[in-house]
């Protein structure tokens, strides 16, 4: 049975199977009329959850660019939504277009893990039937659920074949600051056991930066209509297109990122102090691309992990391979 | 290159040198071809290495770490 690591975040969905990595914005939208009549456009994928057009979705960047109405969510219960299922199916079908039997390794925010893992397992496990571009697909799934930042730790200590690659790190005290779209998760592990008193989730994440920057942009350029994912790209590049020219908007982005950085650092110091008791701090998650380096500057032993957005998904995959060997 | 060398051969002296020059050129071409094949092989190996995580020596997992890792996923 193949293992697939799946990390469905409020900003982006990431899935990993071996060296294959799929990532796309966590957005779904309705296909437009011409697509329904004439079929799928170039490179687009339509996921059909049921019978009839009301269950048809296009996903990710295609939805942002082409859908008249798009859906993205930021609430805890979204794992029960059609949107979550569409993102989940799209991720797996991109990696395994023929369907089959798979072990899914995925994660929940630290604070939701105890209460929600049973529900998530029920949603993931069992037989799933859906269609991708009118091709019927069946998935038979089992699952392993862990805490999201645990993926980032596994990514550092395990190799892709599930073997331990860094023994000393596995025996040490590690802190993770996992900056997601809606939540930032702080996880502390000692010899790979989570320390509950020093692990928590906070409702601060990349979307807070996006919302604040969006407001600033609209105040400065009142004639501008932007979708959230477009603003996220502006935040990352600190530039935006206006009348065909690149405009530097660092003055709008940096005050916001500085403020969120200070907030996250303040929260972590409440449980870690100056973090001198930790051997290493890893900063992961898509938000690490925006503010990871400025947070890392606050701790001498903190590093932004390589490819922070997919670190959890890679770690889930490696953890699944590790469990497979036991 | 070979054509250029052949076209030089008008005088008897040059004509007598022609086979040697051709032979040298052929050897040179063969060496270049071998070197190119070696480069291709090295390039292919490098691509594979860059594409994959380095092979890691299997390290034993500490018992407590193993126990903790098993508890981390449900």
């Amino acid at each position: 049975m193949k293992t697939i690591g799946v990390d469905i975040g409020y900003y982006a969905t990431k899935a990993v199977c071996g060296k294959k990595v799929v990532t796309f914005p966590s957005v779904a939208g309705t296909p437009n009329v011409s697509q329904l009549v004439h079929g799928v456009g170039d490179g687009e994928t339509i996921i059909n959850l049921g019978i009839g057009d009301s269950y048809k979705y296009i996903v990710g960047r295609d939805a942002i660019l082409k859908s008249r109405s798009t859906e993205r969510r930021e609430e805890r219960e979204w794992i029960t939504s059609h949107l979550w299922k569409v993102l989940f199916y799209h991720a797996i079908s991109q990696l395994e277009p023929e369907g089959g039997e798979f072990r899914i390794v995925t994660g929940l925010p630290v604070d939701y893990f105890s209460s929600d893992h049973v529900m998530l397992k029920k949603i993931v496990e069992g037989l799933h039937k859906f269609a991708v571009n009118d091709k019927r697909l069946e998935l038979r799934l089992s699952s392993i659920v862990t805490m999201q930042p645990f993926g980032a730790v596994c990514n550092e200590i395990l190799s892709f074949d599930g073997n331990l690659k860094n023994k000393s790190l596995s025996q040490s005290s590690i802190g993770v600051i996992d900056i997601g779209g809606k939540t930032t998760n702080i996880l502390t592990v000692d010899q790979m056991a989570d320390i509950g008193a020093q692990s928590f989730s906070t409702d601060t994440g990349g979307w807070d930066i996006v919302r604040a920057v969006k407001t600033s942009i609209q105040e400065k350029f009142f004639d501008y209509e932007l979708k959230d994912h477009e603003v996220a790209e502006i935040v990352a590049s600190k530039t935006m297109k206006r009348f065909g020219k690149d405009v530097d908007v660092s003055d709008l982005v940096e005050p916001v990122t500085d403020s969120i950085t200070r907030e996250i650092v303040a929260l972590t110091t409440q449980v870690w102090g100056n973090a001198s008791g930790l051997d290493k701090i890893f900063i992961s998650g898509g938000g690490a691309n925006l503010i990871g380096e400025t947070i890392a500057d606050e701790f001498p032993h903190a590093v932004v992990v390589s490819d922070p957005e997919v670190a959890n998904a890679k770690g889930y995959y490696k953890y699944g391979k590790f469990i497979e060997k036991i | 290159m070979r054509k250029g060398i052949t076209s030089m051969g008008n005088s008897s002296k040059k004509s007598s040198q022609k086979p040697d020059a051709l032979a040298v050129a052929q050897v040179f071409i063969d060496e270049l071809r071998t070197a190119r094949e070696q480069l291709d092989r090295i390039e292919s190996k490098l691509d594979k290495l860059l594409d994959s995580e380095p092979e890691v020596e299997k390290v034993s997992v500490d018992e407590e770490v193993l126990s903790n890792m098993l508890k981390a996923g449900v």
Side-chain angles (χ1 to χ4, degrees), chain A residues 33-65:
Chain A
V33 174
S34 66
Q35 285 165 338
L36 290 177
V37 174
H38 302 296
V40 185
D42 285 345
E44 289 173 11
T45 304
I46 291 183
I47 304 282
N48 192 347
L49 292 182
I51 299 163
D53 293 339
S54 58
Y55 293 99
K56 284 187 173 179
Y57 297 87
I58 57 174
V59 185
R61 185 155 291 282
D62 283 332
I64 295 169
L65 295 175

Side-chain angles (χ1 to χ4, degrees), chain A residues 6-310:
Chain A
V6 183
D7 180 16
I8 304 184
Y10 294 103
Y11 177 69
T13 298
K14 294 79 64 178
V16 174
C17 184
K19 295 295 163 61
K20 288 191 283 185
V21 176
V22 164
T23 174
F24 53 88
S26 293
V27 181
T30 49
N32 63 43
V33 174
S34 66
Q35 285 165 338
L36 290 177
V37 174
H38 302 296
V40 185
D42 285 345
E44 289 173 11
T45 304
I46 291 183
I47 304 282
N48 192 347
L49 292 182
I51 299 163
D53 293 339
S54 58
Y55 293 99
K56 284 187 173 179
Y57 297 87
I58 57 174
V59 185
R61 185 155 291 282
D62 283 332
I64 295 169
L65 295 175
K66 298 170 188 173
S67 283
R68 280 198 202 96
S69 64
T70 56
E71 182 184 356
R72 73 166 188 85
R73 291 186 173 224
E74 282 185 54
E75 84 274 14
R76 175 178 176 173
E77 296 77 21
W78 84 314
I79 56 175
T80 61
S81 69
H82 274 173
L83 173 64
W84 193 92
K85 205 169 254 187
V86 166
L87 300 172
F88 182 63
Y89 289 165
H90 185 60
I92 295 173
S93 63
Q94 292 280 298
L95 289 170
E96 295 291 340
E98 300 305 317
E101 195 171 349
F102 305 103
R103 176 190 295 108
I104 302 298
V105 186
T106 189
L108 282 165
V110 172
D111 279 2
Y112 305 164
F113 178 74
S114 294
S115 52
D116 292 359
H117 72 265
V118 174
M119 179 166 57
L120 181 57
K121 284 182 80 68
K122 271 186 189 166
I123 291 165
V124 170
E125 289 182 354
L127 176 64
H128 298 257
K129 293 181 181 181
F130 57 101
V132 178
N133 297 342
D134 293 331
K135 179 184 172 184
R136 286 176 177 277
L137 234 68
E138 279 191 15
L139 305 174
R140 287 177 192 276
L141 307 178
S142 61
S143 74
I144 298 172
V145 179
T146 185
M147 291 181 191
Q148 285 171 350
F150 191 73
V153 181
C154 287
N155 191 37
E156 295 297 322
I157 69 154
L158 298 173
S159 62
F160 267 100
D161 55 10
N163 287 323
L164 188 64
K165 69 175 182 183
N166 193 331
K167 187 167 185 172
S168 64
L169 193 58
S170 75
Q171 293 171 314
S172 60
S173 293
I174 303 168
V176 184
I177 305 173
D178 181 26
I179 311 160
K182 180 181 181 289
T183 54
T184 293
N185 287 284
I186 311 298
L187 177 70
T188 313
V189 294
D190 183 54
Q191 295 191 85
M192 298 304 284
D194 70 292
I195 310 296
Q198 294 180 26
S199 303
F200 63 96
S201 305
T202 174
D203 275 344
T204 302
W207 284 123
D208 294 290
I209 299 172
V210 168
R211 265 191 294 273
V213 170
K214 189 176 183 179
T215 305
S216 300
I217 289 171
Q218 282 168 342
E219 280 171 4
K220 186 167 181 177
F221 309 109
F222 58 90
D223 55 348
Y224 233 82
E225 283 295 326
L226 289 165
K227 290 179 180 173
D228 289 345
H229 275 84
E230 292 170 331
V231 180
E233 284 169 12
I234 290 169
V235 171
S237 66
K238 296 182 186 173
T239 58
M240 62 185 282
K241 281 271 185 195
R242 191 162 161 77
F243 301 117
K245 288 185 179 172
D246 285 330
V247 178
D248 183 352
V249 288
S250 306
D251 59 324
L252 303 180
V253 174
E254 283 171 2
V256 176
T257 51
D258 287 350
S259 152
I260 299 286
T261 299
R262 282 197 300 275
E263 189 179 332
I264 291 173
V265 169
L267 286 165
T268 55
T269 53
Q270 282 172 20
V271 290
W272 290 343
N274 63 3
S276 59
L278 298 172
D279 298 309
K280 196 86 185 172
I281 296 174
F282 293 120
I283 303 170
S284 60
N289 288 320
L290 307 177
I291 54 175
E293 291 298 341
T294 41
I295 292 177
D297 288 343
E298 300 290 325
F299 305 99
H301 51 343
V303 290
V304 177
V305 300
S306 156
D307 228 349
E309 194 173 358
V310 291

Side-chain angles (χ1 to χ4, degrees), chain B residues 28-46:
Chain B
F28 183 58
I29 287 167
D30 288 345
E31 281 177 358
L32 274 177
R33 189 173 290 131
T34 308
R36 177 61 190 263
E37 284 167 2
Q38 282 175 338
L39 268 175
D40 284 347
R41 279 198 293 273
I42 291 167
E43 198 175 15
S44 162
K45 278 182 186 170
L46 270 175

